């Protein structure tokens, strides 16, 4: 595919992602931290986020599956997920986590289960968008083009 | 800023989250700091030489932990030993108390922040930490370095001169560093005249 076309798609995808607040300015910060001395930084950090998030979502699912829910434990996992998503700029995931924690504080099992569903949705949304974005970047670079800088 | 040597400052970063450790390391390296990251308060204390049986000072050392740390930046919420616990241990140690400590937290809890500042933390960063936050570290590092070199000067002077000189120096030590300070930069190996 032509470089210009790829770059166009990259710009459009980035615009959509930020418009919908799937990612926020924290992600832009991270992009700025990637340079020649650390060319794989984004890839590493994103991979780590996926790993951590999926582990936490698993733990949350198990914890909420119990007859008697340990809300402290659930809250600890959500707190962790909130931190990771904030660090990477996954805004919508972070926002759901904040609401999720309120349910934990209220020992509201149904609310927690609902929020777990929501956070799963938001996570997979940000995951697929990030994967598409990074794939486009790779293709652009492979075609000898440069990544358009946003803002 | 006139410095005698082109040494990089060394920051010890403590965070139980691997993701956050990766981030803070990148932020610090981008800002030209030498970085060591650890995942717990107890590991931090090990690096600082506090967990050992020997009483060692990291500044005047020739033992296994020949590591000089110019600033410690630590997460607040960590299992086992919180950032606050770590801060307390550092401030209680005669050899480590002058190392500036910065606390990071994802939660903006005023009572928590005040508690840390009262215990001697230089600053409190809200996570996620930004590149611009890195600019706030240097003044604390320089203040720490000044205290360290000043202490060494005092030790040296005590052994050769009268107490008269010392009272002036002790006063200066309590003052904030001002840009007009023209005191010559000392290296850790002082020459006794």
């Amino acid at each position: 595919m032509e470089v210009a076309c790829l770059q166009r798609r990259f710009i459009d995808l980035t615009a959509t992602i930020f418009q919908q607040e799937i990612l926020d300015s924290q992600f832009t910060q991270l992009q700025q931290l990637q340079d020649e001395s650390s060319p794989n930084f984004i890839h590493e950090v994103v991979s780590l986020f996926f790993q951590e998030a999926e582990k936490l979502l698993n733990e949350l699912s198990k914890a909420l599956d119990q007859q008697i829910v340990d809300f402290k434990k659930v809250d600890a996992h959500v707190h962790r997920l909130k931190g990771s998503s904030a660090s990477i700029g996954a805004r919508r995931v972070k926002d759901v986590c904040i609401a999720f924690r309120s349910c934990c504080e209220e020992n509201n099992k149904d609310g927690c289960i609902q929020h777990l569903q929501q956070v799963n949705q938001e996570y997979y949304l940000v995951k697929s968008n990030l994967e598409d974005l990074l794939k486009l970047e790779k293709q652009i670079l492979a075609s000898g083009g440069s990544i358009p800088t946003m803002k | 800023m006139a410095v005698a040597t082109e040494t990089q400052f060394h920051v010890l970063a403590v965070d139980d989250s691997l993701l956050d450790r990766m981030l803070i390391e990148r932020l610090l390296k981008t800002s030209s700091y030498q970085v060591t990251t650890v995942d717990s308060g107890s590991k931090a204390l090990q690096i600082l030489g506090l967990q050992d049986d020997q009483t060692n000072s990291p500044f005047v050392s020739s033992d296994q932990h020949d590591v000089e740390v110019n600033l410690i930046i630590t997460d607040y919420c960590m299992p086992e030993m919180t950032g606050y616990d770590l801060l307390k241990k550092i401030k209680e140690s005669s050899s480590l108390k002058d190392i500036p400590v910065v606390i990071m937290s994802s939660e903006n809890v005023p009572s928590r922040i005040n508690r840390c500042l009262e215990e001697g933390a230089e600053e409190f960063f809200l996570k996620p930490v930004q590149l611009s936050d890195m600019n706030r570290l240097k003044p604390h590092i320089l203040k720490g370095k000044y205290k360290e070199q000043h202490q060494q000067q005092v030790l040296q002077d005590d052994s050769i001169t009268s107490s008269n000189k010392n009272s002036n120096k002790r006063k200066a030590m309590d003052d904030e560093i001002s840009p007009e300070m023209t005191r010559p930069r000392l290296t850790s190996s002082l020459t006794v005249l």
Side-chain angles (χ1 to χ4, degrees):
Chain A
M1 193 178 284
E2 221 188 86
V3 176
C5 182
L6 288 168
Q7 287 172 326
R8 180 81 248 159
R9 279 174 65 189
F10 180 86
I11 292 171
D12 289 345
L13 180 57
T14 305
T16 307
I17 288 174
F18 281 89
Q19 250 163 39
Q20 296 182 5
E21 292 193 321
I22 294 172
L23 290 174
D24 64 19
S25 57
Q26 175 61 14
F27 187 73
T28 315
Q29 264 264 318
L30 298 184
Q31 288 177 309
Q32 289 167 0
L33 289 174
Q34 178 164 285
D35 60 18
E36 312 80 47
S37 70
S38 179
N40 295 318
F41 179 65
I42 290 286
H43 177 83
E44 285 169 9
V45 140
V46 166
S47 303
L48 194 53
F49 170 64
F50 290 164
Q51 259 176 48
E52 275 195 18
E54 282 167 40
K55 184 162 150 234
L56 289 166
L57 290 170
N58 239 319
E59 293 295 317
L60 281 168
S61 180
K62 279 197 280 195
L64 287 170
D65 216 15
Q66 305 298 310
Q67 276 287 14
I68 299 179
V69 174
D70 181 350
F71 286 101
K72 268 214 143 96
K73 196 167 168 188
V74 174
D75 184 70
H77 290 320
V78 180
H79 171 80
R80 208 30 201 271
L81 184 58
K82 174 181 149 244
S84 303
S85 53
S87 292
I88 200 151
R91 169 71 154 271
R92 283 161 64 149
V93 175
K94 180 187 91 173
D95 287 346
V96 175
C97 287
I98 293 172
F100 198 154
R101 289 192 82 188
S102 301
C103 296
C104 296
E105 276 158 38
E106 295 159 11
N107 288 7
N108 177 356
K109 185 171 178 178
D110 286 339
C112 281
I113 291 174
Q114 255 175 27
H115 279 85
L116 178 58
Q117 268 175 10
Q118 244 189 297
V119 87
N120 260 299
Q121 273 173 359
E122 293 300 346
Y123 169 69
Y124 284 101
L125 184 62
V126 75
K127 180 174 182 183
S128 77
N129 276 287
L130 276 168
E131 284 174 337
D132 289 346
L133 202 64
L134 294 180
K135 186 162 159 211
L136 274 172
E137 272 193 14
K138 215 167 154 189
Q139 287 174 315
I140 292 171
L141 292 171
S143 313
S146 58
I147 314 295
T149 37
M150 310 297 295
K151 267 196 184 151
Chain B
M1 215 114 23
V3 270
T5 48
E6 200 64 74
T7 35
Q8 265 190 313
F9 292 127
H10 182 203
V11 178
L12 176 63
V14 192
D15 200 318
D16 62 318
S17 157
L18 178 51
L19 184 56
D20 287 347
R21 280 202 303 281
M22 208 181 264
L23 240 65
I24 196 75
E25 182 173 26
R26 192 85 277 276
L27 286 169
L28 289 165
K29 282 193 168 152
T30 300
S31 313
S32 303
Y33 292 108
Q34 191 195 336
V35 190
T36 300
T37 59
V38 292
D39 63 4
S40 71
S42 46
K43 291 235 181 85
L45 291 174
Q46 257 175 31
I47 297 243
L48 294 163
L50 210 54
Q51 297 284 58
D52 294 342
D53 294 323
Q54 346 159 14
T55 41
N56 38 22
S57 159
F59 303 128
V60 195
S61 71
S62 54
D63 45 34
Q64 35 173 275
H65 293 296
D66 220 355
V67 184
E68 188 185 345
V69 170
N70 304 117
L71 184 132
I72 298 159
I73 182 164
T74 177
D75 188 27
Y76 182 92
C77 276
M78 295 188 291
E80 286 164 26
M81 194 188 293
T82 64
Y84 177 76
D85 298 330
L86 177 59
L87 168 68
K88 269 192 89 174
K89 288 217 149 72
I90 290 166
K91 291 305 168 188
E92 281 164 8
S93 153
S94 52
S95 58
L96 304 178
K97 64 179 169 55
D98 290 330
I99 306 180
V101 181
V102 170
I103 311 272
M104 307 179 276
S105 176
S106 56
E107 307 189 292
N108 193 349
V109 181
S111 56
R112 174 185 294 183
I113 297 174
N114 286 329
R115 208 161 140 246
C116 290
L117 294 175
E118 273 163 28
E119 194 60 41
E122 305 294 337
E123 281 228 45
F124 193 97
F125 287 169
L126 216 48
K127 279 176 152 185
V129 178
Q130 309 285 293
L131 199 53
S132 52
D133 291 327
M134 297 293 98
N135 296 331
R136 290 151 70 181
L137 298 177
K138 195 76 152 283
H140 302 306
I141 292 180
L142 293 176
K143 194 160 89 175
K145 280 242 115 192
Y146 175 70
K147 281 186 192 167
E148 169 209 341
Q149 289 162 357
H150 195 277
Q151 233 154 37
Q152 290 189 337
Q153 174 86 62
V154 167
L155 288 171
Q156 287 282 21
D157 286 354
D158 273 348
S159 64
I160 37 164
T161 59
S162 66
S163 55
N164 185 39
K165 244 192 199 174
N166 293 338
S167 56
N168 288 339
K169 290 196 175 93
R170 229 152 249 144
K171 180 179 185 298
M173 210 167 122
D174 294 332
D175 291 343
E176 286 287 301
I177 288 186
S178 65
E180 293 89 357
M181 191 80 73
T182 51
R183 186 186 174 77
R185 291 313 216 122
L186 302 169
T187 59
S188 32
S189 56
L190 294 165
T191 44
V192 177
L193 300 167

